[in-house]
Amino acid sequence: QVQLVESGGGLVQAGGSLRLSCAASGRTFSGYAMGWFRQAPGKEREFVAGISRSGGVTNYEASVKGRFTISRDNAKNTVDLQMNSLKPEDTAVYYCAASLRGGFFPRSPYDYWGQGTQVTVSS
């Protein structure tokens, strides 16, 4: 069992930055690939970024590539999402997820999910 808790969301103006963090507890964190997803009102949940178990490989959804950076610290059991140049369309609840099987792509199976943190970008 893995528990995931997101933090760092909030209200920011367009063009601003936020850093989300996801703290994991439970089983060995380095045994999981991790992902960030988001869900805007009235829309389906979508993949944002993923990172391998070691942190050496990352994967991004096209609309955030070059603006968002995913990273992890296996010593601290955390995975972060640095979000720069935020746009109103980035407004959503952001979730982190853990994959025991090691996938970090949009369609990879994710086994555990956090409760989410709200990000609101004003124009």
Side-chain angles (χ1 to χ4, degrees), residues 104-118:
F104 53 97
F105 299 96
R107 290 190 170 85
S108 297
Y110 291 87
D111 304 284
Y112 301 101
W113 295 82
Q115 294 298 307
T117 186
Q118 176 71 47

Side-chain angles (χ1 to χ4, degrees), residues 14-122:
S17 298
L18 279 175
R19 188 176 184 89
L20 305 183
S21 187
C22 174
S25 60
R27 295 184 62 165
T28 304
F29 180 67
S30 59
Y32 290 84
M34 299 295 295
W36 282 96
F37 290 76
R38 65 187 180 187
Q39 187 166 20
K43 295 188 177 182
E44 293 187 354
R45 185 171 60 197
E46 66 172 355
F47 175 84
V48 175
I51 190 165
S52 63
R53 290 180 174 118
S54 68
V57 185
T58 57
N59 182 35
Y60 296 93
E61 192 269 330
S63 69
V64 308
K65 205 166 189 177
R67 299 189 298 123
F68 291 10
T69 302
I70 187 172
S71 61
R72 67 188 295 163
D73 186 333
N74 286 343
K76 295 182 178 179
N77 289 4
T78 58
V79 57
D80 292 349
L81 185 69
Q82 177 67 44
M83 306 186 295
N84 299 329
S85 302
L86 282 161
K87 304 175 182 180
E89 51 263 43
D90 295 319
T91 295
V93 178
Y94 283 71
Y95 301 88
C96 69
S99 171
L100 181 59
R101 281 154 280 192
F104 53 97
F105 299 96
R107 290 190 170 85
S108 297
Y110 291 87
D111 304 284
Y112 301 101
W113 295 82
Q115 294 298 307
T117 186
Q118 176 71 47
V119 172
T120 303
V121 184
S122 63

